[in-house]
Amino acid sequence: MTDVLNPPVHIESPDHGHDEHHGPTGILKWITTTDHKIIGLSYTVTAVIMLVIGGAFAEIIRAQLASPNGNLVSLAQYNELFTMHGSVMIYLFAGPFAFGALANIIVPIQIGAPDMAFPRLNALSYWLYLTGAITMLSGFFVSGGAANFGWVAYAPLSNSINTPGAGADLWIGGLLLTGFSAIFTGVNLCATIFYLRAPGMTMFRMPIFTWNMLVTAILILLAFPVLTAGLVMLYCDRHFGTHIFSVAGGGVPVLWQHLFWFWGHPEVYILALPFFGMVTEIIAVFSRKPVFGYKGMIFATLSIAALSLGVWAHHMFTTGVVLLPFFSIMSLLIAVPTGIKMFNWIGTMWRGQVWFSTAMLMALGFLFTFLIGGLTGIYLASPPLDFFTHDTYFVVAHFHSVVMALVLAGMAGLYYWGPKITGYLLNEAIGKWQFWTLFIGSQVFTFPLYILGLEGMPRRVAVYAHDAQWKALNDLSTLGAVIIGVSTILFVVNVVVSWKKYPAGDNPWDGHTLEWFTTSPPPHHNFYRLPQIRSERPTWDYNHPGHQALHHGQHDEPSQPAPEAPVS
Amino acid sequence: MRVEAKILLGLGLFFGLMCAVYWNWSLENAGGVMMFAAMLLCFLPGGYYYWWSRRMKARPEDDPNATQESGAGVVGAFPGTSIWPFTLGMGTFFVVLALVFGIWLLVPGLGLVFWAMIGGTAEGRRGGTH
Amino acid sequence: MLTPALPPQGATVRARRWRRLRRAVALPLAALALSGCTVPSFGASPGATSSSKSVYHLWQGFSIGAAVIGALVVALILYAVLRYRRKGDRIPAQSQYHLPLEVLYTVVPILIVFGLFAATLVVENKEVSNPKTNVVVDVNAFQWGWKFTYPGTNALVYGQTTQNPEMVIPVNTNVRINLSSSDVIHGFYVKAFNFSRYALPGVLNQFTIRAQNTGTYFGQCTQLCGLYHSLMWFRVKVVSQSDYASWIATFNNPTAEAAAKAASKTTSQQTASLVPSKPSSTKFGR
Ligand code: HEM
Ligand SMILES: [Cu+2]
Ligand SMILES: [Cu+2]
């Protein structure tokens, strides 16, 4: 253990003897590290690998659907493929990327902390995530194959009679591990944000990304225990002869859906809020303006979190056993804070200086794609319209508009913060190609699916032989998936081509927040020095004295004095 | 501390209200219980923070005019490196595999878990090696 | 529509802006009015039942709202990024709050949401109401097929996967469906009805349909139910009331009677606990 002191001013030079230099190297360093940046980097690499694996499954799915009676894979394999595609993407890519990867690296730096509050717990989170991912994916190598009951594992399809075999148990085991990983990360983020902020970094001066991560962490702590409990019950039903979800023994199958979606809907926001945060930071920096409606943004995030615990059964409208009006109005109301965010993003760009870097283009791509996903989500909050579209490709299209928007936002985050973590920029020209392929591919992929859904094509079907006319639209969607695949390859190419080529400097984007104040990459405990913190943009205030944020009615030229001289 | 407390208490209050409306209206127990638990889960730390916020003066991070020097002192003890998270992770991995492939895997699993718990605790006590 | 913002010059500018805004709102509305009752379908279709038509109109209403809001937001984004794209190193005014504007885009969406909710309730209440009727069909879903029985008659239709069992119902009549499942969860979905409902083990789901056009409509299981989920097809044949009566009568012979009896017996023996005879009232998960 090392005592870390504040303020970190007396560690003046980077070549001052530092503990890490004496530590282990190579693989042992990776295994024993407790540095949030290295752990975050491991998370990032693992999550991107998961994106590629999940994407590969998706490409096989799309190839199968390119013909009405496709026989690329069998019916059984198809069930495994979409189950594992959904599971890998949700449990192993989107979540860990959102709260394990970028949050782990950025949150402590944004609030001026030397590390996460519990560095060893943080390392444990990563190992649980990695082993969970291995556990879940190893289902493909056991007899009977991987889990095949959809990523939602509805009882009683998921019981031991309908789904015998180790694949399903590996799915449960993998989820238990990643579930605990998420809970520990949630604890860690809350403690870090509550206890390790730098002097002057009051709650209402935290960057929006950090705020969103705090709310995400709270949601994780509220939601994930329910999933874990549900999984334990499911395991008991499968192996210990309990009948919690089986009618024959007096249980209630729908209870699984209640447990699953009580986690599952907050999970949607656990996935989305971090990406909202990234986009907020990026839009502000590349418009050279403060976040418009900063406080409104925070209240919008908090109200999304509050409402998100009361909407779970909008996934269960067609069960016929839930209280329709309650869940309908609660779900519709979530559109309001989401809309506030959208208008705040536009307000941030308004009268700014919008710089079309790759990160900003990705963020703009997010705005458009998320707008489509958000608007179509409003339909699904209305029970009659949900009865109409539930379990058709309309729903698949809706949530892929959302998740592709999140992928765009995640890429924006990598282009924006990657240089801070690695010290090197990515190639902007390739980045723009990647953007256009990803953006256009996403629309070409999702748009036909909306129409297919309205024409009645159900999801999770390997063949649609009774209506071969759907082939044209399916082919278009497959084309979109191929374009998305190309964009993924472009990303890998970009990483290879730009490897240690374009040194970033400490502050390549004229950033606002504390991570742009320290070096790229930051030193072991993040800072050699800290500026005075007088707003949510300490680095900007330091670099542009006299340009702090204006309130409504204030005029262009600031009337207050510049912030006090920072500590140097 | 006060803002932190208010956020949690506010969320808990909202969940409580939502729970009351839902439970009375739907008569469905699972959701009612879960929302009630969510409320408690917010009140617990929220109440604790609130209790403390009334008893301590503002920390430097709660003070809008704090200078970097006002936080002088030890922020905390941070380990440089540690092998125990990895050991514990591997132990848990084996425990979960035991759920699938057979109970004998609990032997290495729980062994690693206990070893890591002892090792990790001792490391914390000793102050560690960084 | 929206021109670059001018430096504020007082009341005249504001009035001009207001007029422009009014025109921007009025134009699409006028266009809509001019096009008469041909509101676009937005990809949906009216369907074959009375409630499918209400759903269709609700769909159109939601779509108009979504289109207007979507177009507004897209226009704002495009305007912002094109008009304010970076032109130099000048630091723009660092304005951060505009309370009236923020209140506006909080309150207006709330109003819209309550409007949508009200419209939703109207259609929803129509769909979940179960008026009295004497045409009842017991629909039982199983891995992987459908069984349609008609209580009080000998009629029985049974078929697996692509055998396409056909549910026959009379036109312009309220038909009560009692939906149940003998194993896992299935989804009863008929595109032409703009409607779907789960077949849950242990729960009796009831709903009423009133077909308004004769014809044969395709239906399919929409909730993943295992290996042959993709192929769990059926059809609904809507016939005239007299055709329906004579169809029921074709089952009034000894073999059909025996089959119907046997079918009802197997159901009650094998899956007594899975196929309830009346709506369930379990408290957990209900
Ligand atoms: C490369 C881009 C992607 C393509 C081409 C793609 C394709 C598909 C398709 C065609 C399905 C429907 C399968 C079926 O119902 O038969 C599907 C399902 C799904 N996808 Fe994706 N997807 C992509 C990216 C993502 C991402 C990024 C996520 C999440 C972060 C995601 C999450 C899901 C989920 C949860 C399901 C539902 C699985 C289930 O039904 O159990 N997908 N995907
Ligand atoms: Cu949801
Ligand atoms: Cu099915």
Side-chain angles (χ1 to χ4, degrees):
Chain A
M1 300 270 167
T2 326
D3 285 341
V4 175
L5 298 171
N6 188 296
V9 280
H10 35 262
I11 317 168
E12 268 303 344
S13 94
D15 22 66
H16 186 281
H18 220 283
D19 18 288
E20 263 250 309
H21 298 174
H22 308 308
T25 52
I27 183 121
L28 202 62
K29 175 175 169 188
W30 179 60
I31 284 177
T32 59
T33 187
T34 55
D35 181 345
H36 72 104
K37 296 181 289 297
I38 299 178
I39 296 171
L41 209 55
S42 306
Y43 258 112
T44 312
V45 173
T46 317
V48 170
I49 291 174
M50 291 303 149
L51 174 65
V52 172
I53 293 177
F57 295 159
E59 300 294 337
I60 304 175
I61 292 175
R62 286 310 327 165
Q64 162 75 11
L65 294 178
S67 57
N69 232 333
N71 46 16
L72 181 68
V73 296
S74 68
L75 292 182
Q77 284 166 332
Y78 188 81
N79 286 358
E80 287 175 39
L81 276 173
F82 68 71
T83 300
M84 292 309 277
H85 162 67
S87 303
V88 167
M89 286 297 198
I90 299 282
Y91 304 118
L92 305 182
F93 158 65
F97 185 88
F99 51 73
L102 288 181
N104 220 329
I105 301 174
I106 299 303
V107 165
I109 315 185
Q110 276 196 334
I111 58 174
D115 201 317
M116 290 286 249
F118 308 115
R120 291 184 295 173
L121 188 68
N122 197 19
L124 177 62
S125 284
Y126 175 71
W127 297 117
L128 293 180
Y129 162 50
L130 184 66
T131 51
I134 293 170
T135 308
M136 190 187 287
L137 283 170
S138 59
F140 280 108
F141 306 109
V142 298
S143 73
N148 58 5
F149 36 48
W151 78 284
V152 298
Y154 274 8
L157 183 63
S158 51
N159 68 15
S160 55
I161 301 162
N162 290 298
T163 315
D169 291 321
L170 287 168
W171 184 89
I172 295 175
L175 274 193
L176 285 172
L177 287 168
T178 53
F180 276 108
S181 158
I183 292 174
F184 294 156
T185 304
V187 170
N188 228 331
L189 282 169
C190 277
T192 308
I193 293 171
F194 283 171
Y195 285 104
L196 287 183
R197 303 196 306 273
M201 177 62 78
T202 60
M203 288 295 275
F204 283 99
R205 281 180 189 165
M206 296 194 312
I208 292 288
F209 179 68
T210 296
W211 259 108
N212 281 25
M213 287 320 304
L214 172 63
V215 177
T216 304
I218 294 174
L219 279 181
I220 288 176
L221 295 180
L222 292 172
F224 267 83
V226 177
L227 175 70
T228 310
L231 289 168
V232 171
M233 295 182 207
L234 183 60
Y235 186 84
C236 290
D237 263 17
R238 288 174 63 84
H239 293 284
F240 300 149
T242 57
H243 290 283
I244 301 167
F245 304 125
S246 84
V247 184
V252 183
V254 172
L255 178 60
W256 166 262
Q257 295 184 31
H258 279 291
L259 296 173
F260 184 86
W261 289 115
F262 194 84
W263 161 82
H265 193 85
E267 165 76 358
V268 171
Y269 289 100
I270 292 169
L271 299 185
L273 288 178
F275 293 99
F276 290 176
M278 294 175 204
V279 166
T280 311
E281 303 279 303
I282 289 165
I283 288 181
V285 165
F286 291 106
S287 306
R288 309 197 84 195
K289 276 186 59 198
V291 175
F292 183 74
Y294 169 82
K295 292 216 172 95
M297 203 77 153
I298 292 166
F299 286 114
T301 308
L302 283 169
S303 44
I304 286 179
L307 289 168
S308 76
L309 250 72
V311 300
W312 74 91
H314 63 208
H315 299 270
M316 303 162 59
F317 282 152
T318 59
T319 57
V321 295
V322 296
L323 187 61
L324 301 176
F326 178 84
F327 291 108
S328 171
I329 186 65
M330 298 300 270
S331 310
L332 283 169
L333 277 175
I334 288 203
V336 175
T338 314
I340 294 177
K341 280 176 178 285
M342 183 61 87
F343 287 115
N344 281 346
W345 288 322
I346 297 172
T348 306
M349 295 188 290
W350 209 257
R351 299 197 185 160
Q353 291 268 327
V354 180
W355 170 12
F356 296 116
S357 67
T358 303
M360 183 64 175
L361 285 176
M362 294 277 185
L364 292 172
F366 162 89
L367 288 191
F368 281 105
T369 317
F370 182 71
L371 176 67
I372 299 172
L375 288 174
T376 50
I378 297 177
Y379 290 83
L380 297 173
S382 168
L385 299 180
D386 182 72
F387 296 162
F388 167 28
T389 51
H390 183 75
D391 272 340
T392 71
Y393 262 92
F394 185 83
V395 172
V396 176
H398 151 68
F399 69 69
H400 278 84
S401 284
V402 174
V403 295
M404 292 317 296
L406 301 187
V407 172
L408 280 156
M411 285 296 164
L414 286 181
Y415 275 87
Y416 176 64
W417 278 312
K420 177 50 64 182
I421 312 163
T422 60
Y424 294 92
L425 296 160
L426 286 166
N427 182 308
E428 283 280 306
I430 305 180
K432 296 206 166 121
W433 278 97
Q434 190 203 340
F435 164 71
W436 286 110
T437 43
L438 182 56
F439 180 64
I440 294 173
S442 299
Q443 316 312 327
V444 175
F445 158 56
T446 50
F447 187 68
L449 298 186
Y450 284 111
I451 306 176
L452 281 170
L454 294 176
E455 288 186 357
M457 178 159 165
R459 64 193 283 200
R460 297 167 173 164
V461 293
V463 294
Y464 47 98
H466 58 84
D467 203 337
Q469 286 177 343
W470 288 340
K471 176 170 162 50
L473 285 167
N474 268 296
D475 284 352
L476 191 59
S477 178
T478 304
L479 175 69
V482 170
I483 301 177
I484 296 173
V486 171
S487 86
T488 315
I489 294 170
L490 282 175
F491 177 66
V492 177
V493 168
N494 199 352
V495 172
V496 173
V497 167
S498 321
W499 194 257
K500 303 213 165 167
K501 203 152 165 203
Y502 316 105
D506 292 349
N507 189 3
W509 319 118
D510 195 2
H512 294 172
T513 41
L514 281 181
E515 74 270 29
W516 304 109
F517 195 81
T518 185
T519 53
S520 308
H524 184 42
H525 281 134
N526 292 346
F527 292 97
Y528 295 120
R529 60 198 184 116
L530 279 170
Q532 298 296 27
I533 298 162
R534 289 294 172 268
S535 77
E536 79 274 10
R537 300 191 298 166
T539 305
W540 170 275
D541 291 345
Y542 180 82
N543 289 331
H544 304 283
H547 284 282
Q548 61 270 71
L550 305 172
H551 287 265
H552 179 45
Q554 254 180 346
H555 291 291
D556 282 16
E557 288 316 314
S559 46
Q560 318 130 297
E564 296 149 57
V567 185
S568 64
Chain B
M1 229 46 292
R2 189 150 300 177
V3 182
E4 288 89 326
K6 279 188 183 153
I7 290 169
L8 289 167
L9 292 178
L11 282 177
L13 208 64
F14 184 83
F15 297 145
L17 279 175
M18 206 159 60
C19 173
V21 172
Y22 176 77
W23 215 335
N24 279 311
W25 190 0
S26 75
L27 300 177
E28 187 275 311
N29 287 336
V33 171
M34 289 189 287
M35 281 202 241
F36 191 75
M39 177 192 76
L40 292 184
L41 213 55
C42 288
F43 280 161
L44 195 74
Y48 174 79
Y49 289 149
Y50 187 72
W51 189 82
W52 265 109
S53 73
R54 302 194 48 130
R55 269 158 196 78
M56 62 194 233
K57 57 186 208 329
R59 303 170 301 170
E61 57 263 49
D62 296 327
D63 172 9
N65 295 318
T67 59
Q68 288 303 329
E69 289 72 19
S70 64
V74 178
V75 176
F78 290 86
T81 60
S82 173
I83 188 68
W84 302 115
F86 179 76
T87 317
L88 188 54
M90 290 305 125
T92 329
F93 183 34
F94 280 109
V95 169
V96 164
L97 289 184
L99 292 177
V100 184
F101 294 117
I103 208 85
W104 59 273
L105 279 163
L106 281 182
V107 178
L110 290 180
L112 283 171
V113 166
F114 285 122
W115 188 29
M117 277 159 70
I118 294 165
T121 319
E123 181 183 63
R125 286 264 176 77
R126 267 204 324 273
T129 51
H130 73 254
Chain C
M1 198 163 57
L2 289 152
T3 52
L6 299 164
Q9 282 169 359
T12 53
V13 178
R14 221 166 295 138
R16 209 178 326 141
R17 261 195 220 160
W18 177 233
R19 237 178 294 136
R20 222 174 314 154
L21 193 72
R22 252 192 329 210
R23 221 179 308 146
V25 176
L27 264 177
L29 284 184
L32 214 70
L34 276 182
S35 61
C37 7
T38 55
V39 182
S41 71
F42 296 102
S45 46
T49 66
S50 63
S51 49
S52 74
K53 295 196 168 70
S54 320
V55 171
Y56 174 66
H57 291 137
L58 187 64
W59 177 268
Q60 288 175 314
F62 269 63
S63 300
I64 291 170
V68 170
I69 297 171
L72 174 76
V73 174
V74 168
L76 287 174
I77 297 176
L78 284 180
Y79 180 78
V81 297
L82 296 179
R83 169 74 176 72
Y84 302 116
R85 67 183 181 279
R86 185 166 185 174
K87 296 200 189 78
D89 272 342
R90 190 181 60 80
I91 293 180
Q94 300 292 301
S95 50
Q96 185 166 28
Y97 291 102
H98 191 297
L99 201 58
L101 203 59
E102 290 176 63
V103 170
L104 182 76
Y105 61 63
T106 310
V107 172
V108 171
I110 291 182
L111 296 179
I112 296 177
V113 155
F114 276 98
L116 295 177
F117 183 57
T120 292
L121 281 184
V122 174
V123 181
E124 179 187 304
N125 288 338
K126 184 168 173 187
E127 273 192 306
V128 298
S129 73
N130 273 322
K132 260 185 106 66
T133 174
N134 40 25
V135 182
V136 178
V137 190
D138 285 347
V139 177
N140 180 237
F142 57 88
Q143 282 171 321
W144 288 273
W146 302 89
K147 188 173 77 185
F148 305 106
T149 46
Y150 295 71
T153 77
N154 296 325
L156 160 77
V157 184
Y158 172 98
Q160 287 183 341
T161 57
T162 49
Q163 292 170 336
N164 281 320
E166 213 164 59
M167 174 170 106
V168 179
I169 55 169
V171 73
N172 286 330
T173 314
N174 289 330
V175 179
R176 164 84 46 80
I177 309 280
N178 288 330
L179 185 60
S180 64
S181 160
S182 354
D183 35 54
V184 300
I185 302 174
H186 301 270
F188 176 94
Y189 168 68
V190 181
K191 158 83 226 325
F193 296 171
N194 288 347
F195 184 78
S196 69
R197 181 56 66 86
Y198 282 179
L200 289 165
V203 173
L204 191 73
N205 255 329
Q206 299 188 313
F207 55 92
T208 304
I209 46 182
R210 188 184 175 88
Q212 292 183 324
N213 315 59
T214 56
T216 304
Y217 304 107
F218 183 78
Q220 182 166 9
C221 174
T222 46
Q223 179 55 43
L224 178 65
C225 54
L227 189 59
Y228 292 104
H229 164 65
S230 308
L231 299 172
M232 202 171 139
W233 302 350
F234 65 98
R235 285 179 205 284
V236 177
K237 190 172 179 185
V238 180
V239 297
S240 71
Q241 288 167 3
S242 56
D243 285 354
Y244 175 73
S246 47
W247 179 78
I248 289 283
T250 58
F251 289 91
N252 287 334
N253 58 59
T255 33
E257 244 163 70
K261 221 171 253 150
S264 74
K265 212 162 157 202
T266 41
T267 307
S268 53
Q269 272 171 3
Q270 286 176 348
T271 53
S273 54
L274 292 184
V275 184
S277 52
K278 56 180 199 305
S280 86
S281 60
T282 329
K283 273 288 220 65
F284 265 104
R286 268 233 292 213

